[in-house]
Amino acid sequence: MRVIKGMDALGYDPNASVENLGSQKSITIGVIVPDIDINVFTFTDFIKGVERASQMYNFNILICAASNNIDKEMKYLELLRTHTVDAMILLHPTIKNDKIIQLNDEGYHVVVVGSVIEHACIPCCITNNLEFSQRVVTHFAEQGHREIAFINGSLSTSESMDRLEGYIQGLKVNRLPFYPELIEHGDYNEEKGYQAFIRLINKTPRPTAIYTANDEMALGVYKACKELGLRIPEDISVMGVDDNRIGRYIEPPLSSVKPPNTELGYLAAEMIMCLVNKKDINNRIVTIESTMLFRKSSMKFV
C-alpha cells in the first residue's frame, strides 16, 4: 500500500503513539478544504483518509469548508490561536505561504497538502502533478494527436501551476507544437469547462485532444460535444483528473488520472500526529504517485 510507504518515509511508529494516548487529552484536528461542491468526490476521499487515521490515533476532526475564500481560510486558522483545534491540515490552501509560515513560527502545528512550503518545519504531502500531466500529453501523442489543448483550473494554486508546467513539458518531450491559444481556464467547474471548450473548438489550430485539470471540467466538455454533434473520441479525445465516479459511467467512459486522495489524507494526519506528539519526521516532503486510468474517451486517433 502506498500509505504504508508514506508511513515508512515519515520514520514514525504508530504503535508508539497509540501507547501514549491514554495519558493525553482529547485532540482535535482541523481540516480546511476548498470548495466541496466542485470536487465532492476528491474531498470525500481525502476526509476518508483523515478519518481512518483518527480511528487509529483517537483524535477528533473539525472540517472547515473555505469555499476558495481567503478570508474564510484566515478565519478558520484563528481556531489555532483560540485553541479550538490543536493542529490544522490545509488542503490546497489559497492563502499566501508567509501566513502559514507565521503560524508555524508562533508554535502552531500545520501540515500542508497539495503544495510545498519552503520551510524546514512545515510538513507537506503532494502528488506528482507535473509528472502525470506530462504523461497525459504523452498518451495523447501516442494516439496520434498533435494539437492538444489544456483546460486548467485556477492559477491561484501550485497544483494548477504544476499541471500547466507538466502539459508544456509533455509537448516539448514529444516534440509537439506549443500553441498558447490552446490553453484555457475553467476554474475547476463544469459550466466554465463547457465555456472553455466552446472557445477552444473555435480556435485555429483546432484541437483534437483535450486535457482538463479535473473531471468536472471534462463533463462540461462532454456537454458541449453533445450540443455540437462532436463524437468522443472520434472527433475529440478527452482526459481529466480525479477519477470522478460519474466519469466511469458516462459514454464513453472518461480517461482520468486518479490522485491518491485517501492516502494523502491518511498521511497528512500521520504528519500532524508526529507534530502533536513531538516525533521527528524523517522526510518533510512526501510525494505519493497518482494512477493513470485510460478508458475509451482517449482511444486511438489514427
Side-chain angles (χ1 to χ4, degrees), residues 28 30 32 62 70-88 90 95-110:
T28 300
I32 301 179
L62 178 63
I70 292 177
D71 291 336
K72 276 191 175 182
E73 280 191 34
M74 291 300 298
K75 180 181 178 181
Y76 288 135
L77 285 172
E78 285 299 315
L79 296 176
L80 285 167
R81 292 191 172 98
T82 60
H83 303 289
T84 304
V85 298
D86 299 282
M88 192 73 80
L90 306 179
I95 60 173
K96 292 184 178 180
N97 290 354
D98 58 358
K99 298 292 185 183
I100 299 172
I101 291 171
Q102 180 183 346
L103 280 169
N104 175 86
D105 292 347
E106 290 176 10
Y108 299 108
H109 303 309
V110 179

Side-chain angles (χ1 to χ4, degrees), residues 121-170:
C121 298
I122 300 179
C124 306
C125 47
I126 58 175
T127 190
N128 55 328
N129 288 289
L130 191 151
E131 289 83 1
F132 75 59
S133 291
Q134 183 173 317
R135 289 175 63 191
V136 169
V137 175
T138 296
H139 169 67
F140 279 139
E142 290 171 348
Q143 311 308 307
H145 295 281
R146 287 184 56 80
E147 286 73 38
I148 302 169
F150 178 46
I151 303 178
N152 204 356
S154 167
L155 289 179
S156 64
T157 66
S158 61
E159 175 187 70
S160 292
M161 296 303 295
D162 285 346
R163 291 178 187 178
L164 174 60
E165 185 178 348
Y167 161 77
I168 294 171
Q169 285 190 11

Side-chain angles (χ1 to χ4, degrees), residues 157-269:
T157 66
S158 61
E159 175 187 70
S160 292
M161 296 303 295
D162 285 346
R163 291 178 187 178
L164 174 60
E165 185 178 348
Y167 161 77
I168 294 171
Q169 285 190 11
L171 295 174
K172 185 176 181 180
V173 166
N174 290 283
R175 298 182 179 181
L176 296 175
F178 170 56
Y179 301 104
E181 58 270 28
L182 292 188
I183 298 174
E184 283 285 351
H185 300 282
D187 203 26
Y188 289 121
N189 73 68
E190 181 179 344
E191 181 57 32
K192 290 187 178 178
Y194 167 91
Q195 294 168 5
F197 178 77
I198 294 296
R199 294 191 295 270
L200 284 168
I201 208 65
N202 288 301
K203 290 183 178 182
T204 303
R206 182 169 174 165
T208 61
I210 305 286
Y211 168 38
T212 65
N214 77 344
D215 288 352
E216 275 302 315
M217 294 186 293
L219 294 177
V221 172
Y222 269 61
K223 176 185 175 184
C225 285
K226 183 176 181 181
E227 291 180 2
L228 297 171
L230 296 173
R231 299 167 301 166
I232 301 173
E234 292 85 354
D235 300 316
I236 192 87
S237 291
V238 185
M239 186 160 182
V241 178
D242 285 339
D243 191 31
N244 185 315
R245 294 171 199 166
I246 296 173
R248 304 173 203 170
Y249 301 107
I250 56 177
E251 189 58 39
L254 176 65
S255 294
S256 189
V257 182
K258 182 178 178 62
N261 295 311
T262 301
E263 292 94 329
L264 286 170
Y266 195 102
L267 179 60

